[in-house]
Amino acid sequence: MEQKREQWGSRWGFILAAMGSAVGLGNIWRFSYAMGDGGGSAFLIIYLLSVLLIGFPVMLIEFSIGRRAQTDAVDAFKKIAPKTGWVVAGGMGVLAAFLILSFYGVIGGWSLRYTMAYVTGGITGDSSEFFGGFISSAVSPVLWQFLFMAITIAIVYLGVQKGIELSSKWMMPILSILLVLLAVYSLTLGGAQEAFAFMFQPDWEAFTDPSVYISAMGQAFFTLSLGMGAMLTYASYLDPSERLTSSAAIIIGLDTLFALVAGLVIFPALFAFGLDPAEGPGLVFVVLPNIFEALGGVGALVGFAFFLLLSMAAISSAISLLEVAVAYFIRKLNMSRKNVTLIVGLIIFLLGVPSSLSQGAVEITIFGASFLDFMDAFTGNLLLPLGGLIMVLFVGWTWTKKEILHHGDIGDNALGPAYLLTAKFVAPIAILFVLIIGLINW
Ligand code: PHE
């Protein structure tokens, strides 16, 4: 028997859920370490260009496919273009959901662990020692990862409106306010000047490093939840009459602002405490405890609030990852949402265990990187851009001009031709170009 498909309760419910998907560990944890590794301003400039020239059209394209097809990421391609190869983008999306959520759950678990640490007095003394000790244990990080996955599973289990929409509605504003307050404080710590120079003063030499291009573009895909059908799946729960362009602009604008403010929290503090920006994926977990300690008495409270909200932002992204796979298997196996969510969620948790163990408990490396770092770079920098490329080519080159404009909600105004041009040429060429540079210099 066909089950009736769920829908969002309101347009704002959709925007907030999509924003919840976009804003997550990517804006704080991944953005800051990728920018730290990428030498600061050069990374930032390429990232911002990618968001504008690639992120915007790709998001609109994912929205158009999802809203038009009203089905999951795999079926969408089968429905719009039966018996063609485009469906590979949907298959890659479901695969990416498994791979990304597997390690995302590990970092989400770290974030929960830190929340707890601030309940029990905070982290004082050498923060990198605390962090190293925690992540290299074989048991504790796995238990926190389990807890994170259990919360994610519970929300998806409750469904689109009662779970995803409701949980996204009230978290984002609180996290934004807290982040701005922390940025203001961090800027007073004495590292502001150095941080500004690092973030905004172009260092032309850094542009000659090919790895900056791929990591900055990958970051744009990751932070906007693009290239794997998350935005496609969310848009499939929209009524076909809902508007898309302004939603995409709001989501992208706020997500980018979020990352920039997070940079203004992390880098001034980092330079004030004389830490190294190229610390890698542990960056926020090592830098932020120093700020909270320097705050004195209220530090533990602020630290608690920060990591609690970071965990919630991570959960609202994790549910969108899980939903891509769940939506697919509900239809494919014709099973109930509840059973599918439990099974898929558990499998993804298990898949994540090697990532957790690779942080010091067991030696698991691929191409010289820990298993977790490899999964992160492989999915974000390769799988997502590739998936995005296939989707833009699909829409840009197999839909008629009228279909592209109609399903993207761009009327016959000045934006129309610009959108067509980006969808057909600018975005695919830019993605291809960066992917090739990245592969040549692997
Ligand atoms: N955008 C999320 C973040 O920044 C991660 C994510 C990627 C979510 C891909 C869904 C799909 O944390």
Side-chain angles (χ1 to χ4, degrees):
M1 202 191 72
E2 276 284 310
Q3 304 170 34
K4 195 180 168 327
R5 268 194 120 242
E6 298 166 86
Q7 282 217 329
W8 300 113
S10 69
R11 172 168 187 256
W12 273 100
F14 160 70
I15 294 182
L16 285 167
M19 203 135 76
S21 168
V23 175
L25 293 169
N27 301 63
I28 299 172
W29 160 74
R30 199 177 192 279
F31 176 74
S32 55
Y33 94 74
M35 180 149 93
D37 284 347
S41 58
F43 173 91
L44 189 63
I45 291 169
I46 303 166
Y47 159 75
L48 291 174
L49 278 175
S50 307
V51 165
L52 205 68
L53 295 178
I54 301 173
F56 189 75
V58 172
M59 185 175 287
L60 213 46
I61 275 168
E62 279 206 35
F63 281 171
S64 333
I65 302 174
R67 194 191 55 169
R68 176 177 180 179
Q70 299 279 308
T71 183
D72 61 83
V74 172
D75 199 36
F77 294 91
K78 290 193 179 161
K79 210 161 157 182
I80 299 175
K83 302 206 166 54
T84 59
W86 296 106
V87 65
V88 67
M92 279 167 54
V94 174
L95 175 72
F98 278 83
L99 299 182
I100 296 179
L101 188 51
S102 76
F103 75 81
Y104 204 89
V106 174
I107 316 288
W110 295 358
S111 186
L112 285 176
R113 167 70 186 93
Y114 270 60
T115 311
M116 195 59 197
Y118 284 95
V119 173
T120 56
I123 296 164
T124 49
D126 189 340
S127 60
S128 72
E129 205 168 291
F130 177 89
F131 178 64
F134 166 59
I135 61 167
S136 61
S137 140
V139 183
S140 157
V142 176
L143 294 177
W144 287 101
Q145 178 211 351
F146 182 79
L147 181 64
F148 180 87
M149 288 302 297
I151 301 171
T152 305
I153 290 168
I155 296 176
V156 173
Y157 185 93
L158 291 173
V160 172
Q161 278 194 28
K162 289 205 189 89
I164 301 174
E165 186 167 346
L166 193 69
S167 67
S168 305
K169 265 189 176 158
W170 51 277
M171 272 170 16
M172 286 299 128
I174 313 177
L175 181 58
S176 321
I177 293 167
L178 192 73
L179 205 63
V180 170
L181 292 178
L182 277 177
V184 171
Y185 177 72
S186 179
L187 286 166
T188 65
L189 289 174
Q193 217 175 0
E194 227 177 313
F196 273 111
F198 178 74
M199 286 177 72
F200 301 116
Q201 211 171 73
D203 160 16
W204 302 114
E205 205 162 304
F207 284 94
T208 58
D209 175 2
S211 70
V212 174
Y213 290 82
I214 189 97
S215 82
M217 182 178 77
Q219 173 62 20
F221 272 93
F222 189 90
T223 187
L224 296 173
S225 306
L226 295 176
M228 46 91 53
M231 290 302 179
L232 186 162
T233 305
Y234 272 16
S236 77
Y237 300 128
L238 272 177
D239 189 84
S241 66
E242 287 294 355
R243 309 235 329 272
L244 299 179
T245 329
S246 51
S247 309
I250 295 171
I251 295 160
I252 291 178
L254 286 174
D255 184 82
T256 308
L257 194 65
F258 226 95
L260 288 174
V261 177
L264 291 179
V265 173
I266 304 198
F267 291 106
L270 179 138
F271 288 112
F273 293 107
L275 298 163
D276 176 13
E279 162 88 29
L283 190 65
V284 293
F285 294 97
V286 173
V287 174
L288 290 178
N290 289 311
I291 310 190
F292 302 138
E293 191 179 357
L295 275 171
V298 293
L301 188 68
V302 180
F304 167 72
F306 179 83
F307 281 108
L308 181 67
L309 290 163
L310 181 65
S311 306
M312 295 202 287
I315 288 166
S316 68
S317 300
I319 54 184
S320 72
L321 286 159
L322 184 55
E323 181 64 20
V324 171
V326 165
Y328 168 67
F329 285 112
I330 290 179
R331 180 191 54 82
K332 180 83 187 163
L333 306 174
N334 196 18
M335 266 166 64
S336 73
R337 163 175 289 273
K338 294 192 160 63
N339 289 338
V340 171
T341 307
L342 289 174
I343 298 168
V344 172
L346 192 67
I347 295 175
I348 294 178
F349 160 71
L350 292 173
L351 271 177
V353 172
S355 284
S356 182
L357 296 180
S358 75
Q359 296 304 294
V362 185
E363 169 98 9
I364 316 175
T365 55
I366 301 187
F367 294 122
S370 80
F371 189 67
L372 189 155
D373 296 0
F374 171 79
M375 291 289 265
D376 177 16
F378 171 73
T379 53
N381 300 349
L382 199 71
L383 211 52
L384 297 185
L386 204 59
L389 177 64
I390 300 175
M391 290 194 257
V392 252
L393 290 176
F394 171 59
V395 170
W397 292 90
T398 73
W399 292 16
T400 65
K401 212 167 113 182
K402 224 176 117 200
E403 282 175 320
I404 301 177
L405 293 177
H406 172 70
H407 293 291
D409 268 334
I410 304 223
D412 259 335
N413 53 36
L415 259 179
Y419 177 54
L420 284 172
L421 190 74
T422 3
K424 257 181 132 74
F425 299 104
V426 181
I429 292 173
I431 300 173
L432 204 62
F433 180 69
V434 176
L435 275 177
I436 291 172
I437 305 185
L439 286 175
I440 290 177
N441 294 282
W442 185 270

